[in-house]
Amino acid sequence: MPENISNNALILALLSLNGEIAIQNDYLESGEIPEEEVENEQEVLEDLEQAFMEFVDVYKARARNDQSLPSLEELLAGEE
């Protein structure tokens, strides 16, 4: 991931991915998915979670160097 991504873009990506993970989890738990699509939807969730973790790693490194950024916990708690 390029280092020149702005703090705002990084924060928005984290919040967006976190929201999409919640939506995908709700969908998987809804029981509305046709049986033949469950595996595909589970893979979508895994891809979202992997992307989220990659952004988390970048954010943590950025936050160590930029004390003006909120902690990851504060950032995600503010989303609720």
Side-chain angles (χ1 to χ4, degrees):
M1 183 170 305
E3 282 296 315
N4 62 353
I5 187 170
S6 72
N7 288 345
N8 285 342
L10 183 56
I11 289 169
L12 288 173
L14 278 168
L15 294 176
S16 295
L17 283 167
N18 196 45
E20 287 300 316
I21 288 169
I23 291 168
Q24 188 68 11
N25 271 322
D26 288 347
Y27 182 52
L28 283 166
E29 294 171 1
S30 72
E32 298 175 5
I33 306 169
E35 189 67 33
E36 62 275 3
E37 294 180 25
V38 170
E39 185 176 332
N40 183 50
E41 294 299 330
Q42 185 63 40
E43 288 175 9
V44 168
L45 176 61
E46 290 168 7
D47 289 344
L48 288 167
E49 291 172 333
Q50 177 62 38
F52 179 77
M53 292 311 299
E54 290 178 26
F55 276 94
V56 163
D57 290 342
V58 172
Y59 186 83
K60 284 181 177 180
R62 181 82 56 95
R64 277 192 296 272
N65 296 321
D66 184 345
Q67 298 300 314
S68 70
L69 289 171
S71 71
L72 185 62
E73 294 78 16
E74 291 171 325
L75 181 68
L76 296 177
E79 183 184 33
E80 296 173 3

